[in-house]
Amino acid sequence: MRAKISGDGIFSFFDNNNFTHAAIYGLGVDGKILYDELKNHSIKIDYCIDRNKNNIMINSPIYDLSDNLPDTEVIIVTPIIEFENIKAQLKQKTNAKIFSLEYVVNW
């Protein structure tokens, strides 16, 4: 997965869908790679969501699912195995489009 995150293919997903603002759910290894890739591209990372928000140091606001989530265009969920459960929880909190990282890198 890491090699796909670092490739140009991920940007075609954002470009083809005209997404310029995003949030990332999950700041494990893949989430941090995605964060670094997007922040160096024309995608504005509005915020991140993680269950361990107090233990993560990045230059974007970090929320957990108990917080009110600000508006954004799209949320990319990095924990692929838990995607459906996380998506259901996010749908109760936001109107943003929600995609798994697997879907995005295979666009």
Side-chain angles (χ1 to χ4, degrees):
M1 183 70 73
R2 290 176 192 97
K4 288 185 176 184
I5 296 170
S6 297
D8 290 335
I10 195 162
F11 302 118
S12 66
F13 169 82
F14 286 92
D15 294 340
N16 290 340
N17 289 289
N18 296 313
F19 292 136
T20 58
H21 288 259
I24 299 170
Y25 183 104
L27 289 170
V29 173
D30 289 340
K32 288 177 183 173
I33 293 169
L34 178 63
Y35 177 85
D36 288 339
E37 288 294 317
L38 295 181
K39 78 176 185 177
N40 292 320
H41 194 63
S42 60
I43 308 303
K44 166 77 169 108
I45 302 170
D46 294 319
Y47 57 91
C48 297
I49 308 162
D50 198 280
R51 294 177 189 151
N52 298 312
K53 70 178 187 177
N54 296 325
N55 298 323
I56 299 170
M57 307 256 308
I58 60 171
N59 290 328
S60 291
I62 304 175
Y63 299 92
D64 64 31
L65 284 176
S66 66
D67 297 321
N68 291 324
L69 301 177
D71 291 336
T72 192
E73 294 174 325
V74 61
I75 299 174
I76 308 303
V77 177
T78 64
I80 296 168
I81 294 172
E82 300 176 57
F83 173 68
E84 291 300 328
N85 181 42
I86 294 167
K87 180 180 178 180
Q89 293 176 60
L90 287 169
K91 281 187 163 201
Q92 296 175 8
K93 307 282 288 180
T94 182
N95 291 322
K97 305 245 188 257
I98 304 165
F99 296 95
S100 71
L101 178 60
E102 181 178 45
Y103 180 84
V104 172
V105 298
N106 290 311
W107 175 260

